[in-house]
Amino acid sequence: MSDPMGKMEAAGGLAVTTGVDVNAAVERLRTEGIPAKVAAKDATLWGPEAEEEAAIRLGWVDTFVKSKELVAPLAKLRAELHEQGVDHIALAGMGGSSLAPEVISRTLDLGISILDTTDPGQILAELGEDALRRTAVVVSSKSGSTVETDSQRRAFEKAFEGIGITEHAGRFVFVTDPGSALEALATKQGSHLFLADATVGGRYSALTAFGLVPTALAGADIAELIDQAEAFAATIGSEGDDPAVVLGAVIAAKPTITIADDGTGVVGLGDWAEQLIAESLGKDGKGTLPVVLEGPAAAGARGSDRVYATVGGSSTGLPSSGSSLAMPDVVVNGPLGAQFLAWELATAYAGYLIGIDPFNQPNVTESKNNTNRILADGLPDERPHAVDGSVEIYGSHAETVAGALGELLTNADNETAYIAVMAYLDRIDDAEVAKLRAELAERTGAPVTWGWGPRFLHSTGQFHKGGRPTGVFLQLTGEVDDDLDIPGREYTFAGLQAAQAAGDRQALESRERPLVRLHLTDRKRGINQLLHAVRELS
């Protein structure tokens, strides 16, 4: 067991403490001057093939400077919305457009509704008349063409009209890159518009308009977040302590990093870091797999193939665990603004150490393309191998749910495998099913990740296709009781959700990845059945 007291570096308000032996990697980064080169936005660091992309994707290093321009207009808009009786923010966005706002919202208890889903039940829950009358919708998409976000926008427009708010342009706030179709739409209909920094990729966009617009409108002090990042930025490449260098070396040290909140003030950073690390490093058949844990020392936290990290806002640098055996391998403590920049820097450093371009995402569009084809041609004709109670079994020879889960664990019984659970369900009403991750982790030595679909397609989906080819996949889908039309489209939200699940299955099956699908014909009963079945396994 490593001793977290072995190495500690603190600067700019943030401390990284670890007992993992990363001295050689840290020395390499410092000797080769990598932090200073990143600060100078040197696009050549990750090799000639990465240079063109890196040249237009390094704005995140100091984007917080430009973000200061957002503080005053956002404060003004928030006051205007309050005068109109609007005191709730719903965010329609995916991936980098939703994950950073979610962390800020959870940490500061802002209560933003994050709609990174196509599940009709989860969307319908936001469209009730009482909620709508006090809601403004932030529509956030870098490309301006994200199908989930566009679909949600259309649903909100129709819902506003349905309660008599026909002049609803002022209820929409658009966040997008300059020149996108979303910018044109906002301008045409007279909605509020904030343009993001086009030199920052989505997963590095926490401190741009994507992270700051919805949270400022919900009441966050974004000036404080920016100040925290600016204070930490002063440590980049310094001759003194450089916590991000240590963290980058830790991320690159093992095949897997497990991440948990330590309970000292930062909430949910692991979900954001998961996308950052998985999309940045999961390619070329290699990379570091991030696993988000339910809490400190959760099932699957430790293993010889992984580094166990905790994240918090405490300035002490170490959690109060009471036992050295319960200590994590690395502790990252500091304010949220500094955390965002530190993890972004660390991921770029880890990409350099591993030999991976941290800015491209070559496999993200495959599932999207499959989805579009299925929406045009229709769902594939699939028949279950077996039906057990409220669960249909696909892709397995087993006759029972317990047998299918057992088969999954057998496929994961090797030193390099990981299990990915992908749930195309309602992450609010069906939240109980997420207990399956820990249950599976307790019964196997493999790392087990959890992803809500289609949210994970904008996160770990890149790693599933482009990372190390040792994943074993469990896809969960569910029957829809109340569907919702998408205005202007020939498909519904349930149809889009089903097409996304099928498209992702096709992407994984084309790579011959082990894949079992369990379809819940009754969601509540099916979830209970799943959890009961996994607990029966030895």
Side-chain angles (χ1 to χ4, degrees):
M1 182 69 62
S2 59
D3 174 13
M5 295 300 291
K7 185 177 186 65
M8 177 177 178
E9 295 206 5
L14 185 135
V16 174
T17 311
T18 186
V20 180
D21 183 5
V22 292
N23 290 331
V26 168
E27 182 63 22
R28 179 187 169 194
L29 290 170
R30 286 175 169 159
T31 300
E32 296 178 12
I34 303 307
K37 291 177 181 177
V38 170
K41 303 180 183 178
D42 184 344
T44 68
L45 289 178
W46 299 273
E49 293 184 2
E51 186 174 348
E52 182 178 0
E53 181 78 16
I56 58 171
R57 287 290 177 260
L58 283 164
W60 54 270
V61 173
D62 59 1
T63 194
F64 50 82
V65 175
K66 183 180 295 186
S67 293
K68 292 178 182 179
E69 300 171 2
L70 295 169
V71 176
L74 284 170
K76 181 174 182 291
L77 177 56
R78 183 169 188 261
E80 291 174 358
L81 291 172
H82 269 254
E83 288 178 3
Q84 300 167 23
V86 173
D87 61 1
H88 178 66
I89 299 298
L91 173 59
M94 301 297 297
S97 299
S98 65
L99 291 166
E102 183 175 69
V103 177
I104 299 170
S105 177
R106 293 180 66 191
T107 297
L108 302 181
D109 195 23
L110 302 177
I112 297 173
S113 295
I114 306 290
L115 285 170
D116 52 358
T117 183
T118 49
D119 189 272
Q122 195 171 332
I123 295 166
L124 280 164
E126 295 297 320
L127 301 182
E129 180 173 352
D130 290 344
L132 273 179
R133 291 198 178 280
R134 44 184 285 266
T135 294
V137 183
V138 177
V139 181
S140 188
S141 169
K142 182 175 177 65
S143 68
S145 60
T146 307
V147 64
E148 299 95 336
T149 304
D150 178 68
S151 300
Q152 293 155 3
R153 174 188 64 79
R154 292 167 181 267
F156 271 104
E157 284 183 349
K158 183 177 180 180
F160 280 129
E161 292 167 0
I163 62 171
I165 304 178
T166 54
E167 299 296 327
H168 49 62
R171 291 295 190 98
F172 286 92
V173 182
F174 292 87
V175 184
T176 190
D177 273 6
S180 78
L182 207 56
E183 179 189 8
L185 176 62
T187 302
K188 178 181 178 180
Q189 68 183 33
S191 291
H192 307 288
L193 173 65
F194 291 88
L195 295 177
D197 186 343
T199 67
V200 180
R203 58 187 176 273
Y204 290 83
S205 66
L207 296 168
T208 73
F210 289 112
L212 301 179
V213 169
T215 52
L217 294 178
D221 183 351
I222 63 169
E224 183 177 16
L225 289 172
I226 293 168
D227 288 345
Q228 292 166 354
E230 189 165 30
F232 187 75
T235 72
I236 304 174
S238 68
E239 294 184 2
D241 281 5
D242 194 338
V245 167
V246 177
L247 181 57
V250 168
I251 292 172
K254 295 286 183 74
T256 297
I257 181 169
T258 59
I259 306 171
D261 296 344
D262 71 6
T264 63
V266 173
V267 182
L269 190 79
D271 289 314
W272 171 81
E274 177 185 52
Q275 185 211 18
L276 176 68
I277 295 169
E279 273 202 339
S280 297
L281 304 182
K283 60 199 74 166
D284 302 335
K286 52 187 177 181
T288 302
L289 175 71
V291 177
V292 182
L293 303 172
E294 297 79 8
R302 304 180 186 279
S304 60
D305 62 340
R306 68 204 73 167
V307 171
Y308 168 37
T310 60
V311 179
S314 168
S315 60
T316 62
L318 287 172
S320 174
S321 68
S323 168
S324 61
L325 294 177
M327 297 296 281
D329 299 312
V330 61
V331 177
V332 187
N333 282 94
L336 189 53
Q339 290 273 7
F340 283 138
L341 184 54
W343 284 88
E344 288 167 353
L345 288 163
T347 300
Y349 299 152
Y352 178 81
L353 292 170
I354 298 170
I356 288 176
D357 174 3
F359 305 114
N360 70 347
Q361 49 279 332
N363 306 107
V364 165
T365 59
E366 183 177 351
S367 290
K368 295 179 185 178
N369 293 338
N370 289 348
T371 295
N372 290 336
R373 187 181 64 253
I374 291 168
L375 287 171
D377 299 340
L379 288 168
D381 183 18
E382 299 172 294
R383 305 293 174 87
H385 169 74
V387 178
D388 179 9
S390 297
V391 182
E392 295 176 346
I393 301 169
Y394 298 80
S396 170
H397 300 296
E399 301 294 326
T400 65
V401 173
L405 293 174
E407 188 176 299
L408 190 81
L409 299 189
T410 299
N411 285 329
D413 189 20
N414 67 71
E415 294 181 356
T416 61
Y418 68 93
I419 297 173
V421 188
M422 309 167 295
Y424 286 84
L425 299 168
D426 182 331
R427 70 184 180 101
I428 307 302
D429 276 1
D430 299 328
E432 184 80 2
V433 74
K435 292 180 179 179
L436 191 63
R437 192 216 69 83
E439 297 286 355
L440 288 170
E442 285 183 359
R443 287 156 180 80
T444 176
V448 181
T449 68
W450 182 271
W452 292 102
R455 169 184 169 118
F456 77 86
L457 293 177
H458 300 257
S459 179
T460 51
Q462 165 61 43
F463 195 101
H464 294 169
K465 289 91 172 176
R468 59 181 188 266
T470 57
V472 176
F473 299 90
L474 173 61
Q475 187 184 83
L476 305 178
T477 56
E479 207 67 23
V480 171
D481 293 328
D482 297 311
D483 202 355
L484 178 63
D485 289 335
I486 302 173
R489 298 292 186 235
E490 295 181 356
Y491 48 85
T492 65
F493 275 100
L496 175 56
Q497 183 184 46
Q500 289 177 311
D504 198 42
R505 288 198 299 276
Q506 291 178 356
L508 293 170
E509 289 165 351
S510 71
R511 290 169 170 77
E512 299 183 344
R513 304 284 200 261
L515 170 66
V516 172
R517 174 192 173 204
L518 300 179
H519 181 74
L520 313 182
T521 56
D522 180 298
R523 293 197 183 192
K524 298 304 179 187
R525 291 180 179 177
I527 289 170
N528 289 335
Q529 191 178 340
L530 273 175
L531 294 175
H532 180 75
V534 75
R535 289 162 185 161
E536 288 184 338
L537 300 176
S538 58

